[in-house]
């Protein structure tokens, strides 16, 4: 890598602890940052992630959100209710299964998508500011590989 990082390299036996701690820390840091940025809109927890998921998947269901985003169903139910109460999403009864609701963004929800993405971009640029472009690409590539690797 570059000479920017003078931190000692962990030995292989320390990797599991350091990896878990680093991923957890970054996740908590992002949650804190996004909570602060989106507080004026009444957002808490996973609401912004659910809104972005609905933006990318109009007509999705709460079950699909829970399954695809690894969020428990109770949390999805509470957060979608809050998004609906704040006027960011609307529900339509599914034509194929009247027991399910399809979720769509309202105009207010659509207007928030670039705001949320802007905050996510600012956070990502901030935490990677000490990496060069090649390192950023490598970091994301390695994380993607890890996400798609099954633990056996």
């Amino acid at each position: 890598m570059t000479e920017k990082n003078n931190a000692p390299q962990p030995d292989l036996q320390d990797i599991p602890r350091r990896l878990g701690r680093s991923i957890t820390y970054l996740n908590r840091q992002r949650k804190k940052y996004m909570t602060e940025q989106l507080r004026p809109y009444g957002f808490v927890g996973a609401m912004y992630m659910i809104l972005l998921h609905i933006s990318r998947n109009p007509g999705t269901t709460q079950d699909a959100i829970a399954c695809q985003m690894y969020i428990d169903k109770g949390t999805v139910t509470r957060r979608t209710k809050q998004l609906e109460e704040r006027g960011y999403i609307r529900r339509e009864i599914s034509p194929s299964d009247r027991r399910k609701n399809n979720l769509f963004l309202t105009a207010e929800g659509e207007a928030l998508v670039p705001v949320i993405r802007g905050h996510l971009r600012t956070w990502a640029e901030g935490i990677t500011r000490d990496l060069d472009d090649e390192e950023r690409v490598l970091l994301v590539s390695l994380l993607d590989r890890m996400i798609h690797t099954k633990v056996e």
Side-chain angles (χ1 to χ4, degrees), residues 40-146:
Y41 303 98
F43 276 58
V44 294
M47 288 171 69
Y48 76 91
M49 294 186 303
I50 291 170
L51 187 132
L52 291 178
H53 184 84
I54 296 168
S55 172
R56 288 186 307 272
N57 303 280
T60 191
T61 64
Q62 289 180 187
D63 286 344
I65 292 170
C67 181
Q68 293 170 6
M69 296 184 69
Y70 303 106
I71 302 174
D72 79 72
K73 289 181 181 184
T75 298
V76 173
T77 298
R78 286 189 301 279
R79 298 305 182 223
T80 54
K81 181 179 180 191
Q82 291 170 317
L83 286 166
E84 185 177 29
E85 288 170 349
R86 287 167 175 78
Y88 298 127
I89 67 169
R90 63 183 168 78
R91 298 171 192 267
E92 291 181 11
I93 295 173
S94 172
S96 62
D97 184 347
R98 300 193 57 76
R99 297 169 295 173
K100 294 188 178 197
N101 289 304
N102 297 115
L103 305 173
F104 299 90
L105 296 184
T106 62
E108 292 84 1
E110 290 283 355
L112 269 181
V113 170
V115 172
I116 294 168
R117 287 187 178 145
H119 290 308
L120 288 169
R121 185 177 308 106
T122 299
W123 178 81
E125 289 170 353
I127 65 160
T128 62
R129 71 178 167 266
D130 292 335
L131 304 178
D132 62 34
D133 290 344
E134 185 178 313
E135 289 171 321
R136 285 186 186 112
V137 170
L138 178 60
L139 173 65
V140 172
S141 174
L142 292 172
L143 290 170
D144 282 344
R145 276 179 48 197
M146 290 170 62

